[in-house]
């Protein structure tokens, strides 16, 4: 599925999911993404309009749809990361490079690549390719 998101929106989705141990507010997003509060505010508004996040009492969280977007990004990231490392690229360098494109990949292509690679269970960093 194509989500039509920007790199900063991708980074925000990842931050919201990966920082689930405490509720995030606008200033946390700005701090985490190293952007100014007004920029974070616009980012949050865009993600809200796409139904990826919701705000309740100042707390920002992913919607069910947002979690699905996160899962697709992560699967794309880890599948492409495996492909690059299998080609001889250092795993950390592969991770950095894949962050630039993982959110642009369509689900059908990633599924085909994943199957052609034998449905690997973990990425080079030991994380599950298919998020739970």
């Amino acid at each position: 599925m194509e989500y039509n998101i920007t790199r900063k929106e991708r980074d925000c989705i990842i931050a919201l999911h990966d920082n689930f141990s405490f509720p995030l507010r606008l200033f946390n997003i700005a701090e985490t993404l190293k952007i100014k509060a007004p920029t974070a505010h616009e980012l949050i508004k865009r993600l809200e309009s796409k139904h990826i996040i919701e705000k309740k009492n100042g707390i920002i969280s992913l919607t069910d749809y947002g979690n699905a977007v996160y899962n697709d990004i992560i699967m794309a990231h880890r599948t492409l990361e495996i492909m690059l490392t299998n080609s001889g690229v250092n795993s950390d360098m592969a991770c950095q490079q894949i962050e630039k494109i993982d959110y642009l990949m369509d689900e059908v292509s990633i599924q085909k690549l994943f199957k052609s690679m034998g449905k690997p269970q973990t990425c080079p960093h030991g994380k599950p390719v298919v998020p739970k």
Side-chain angles (χ1 to χ4, degrees):
M1 177 176 284
E2 187 175 325
Y3 296 111
N4 195 28
I5 60 173
T6 67
R7 170 74 188 266
K8 278 295 182 202
E9 289 171 342
R10 174 245 187 241
D11 293 345
C12 185
I13 293 165
I14 301 298
L16 283 165
H17 187 276
D18 291 352
N19 290 304
F20 63 88
S21 59
F22 61 93
L24 293 183
R25 297 183 180 277
L26 182 66
F27 73 91
N28 301 118
I29 299 292
E31 187 177 79
T32 300
L33 300 180
K34 297 176 176 60
I35 57 179
K36 295 183 188 284
T39 304
H41 178 72
E42 289 302 314
L43 178 63
I44 296 305
K45 280 178 32 181
R46 284 196 318 262
L47 288 170
E48 271 187 300
S49 73
K50 295 176 182 182
H51 309 287
I52 293 172
I53 65 163
E54 60 187 0
K55 285 191 323 187
K56 290 184 181 172
N57 299 322
I59 295 173
I60 304 164
S61 60
L62 293 174
T63 62
D64 288 342
Y65 175 67
N67 279 306
V69 172
Y70 170 85
N71 287 338
D72 285 351
I73 291 169
I74 293 302
M75 183 171 182
H77 180 93
R78 293 179 182 161
T79 300
L80 293 168
E81 189 176 45
I82 293 165
M83 183 186 70
L84 280 185
T85 56
N86 287 348
S87 300
V89 177
N90 170 286
S91 61
D92 291 333
M93 177 60 81
C95 184
Q96 291 172 4
Q97 293 301 310
I98 296 307
E99 284 179 0
K100 297 175 184 178
I101 62 167
D102 56 12
Y103 64 99
L104 299 172
M105 302 302 297
D106 71 280
E107 184 180 8
V108 172
S109 296
I110 292 301
Q111 287 291 335
K112 287 180 180 184
L113 180 59
F114 177 71
K115 288 177 185 171
S116 76
M117 295 168 52
K119 298 182 180 180
Q121 296 301 301
T122 59
C123 76
H125 297 100
K127 297 177 181 176
V129 174
V130 179
K132 297 176 180 166

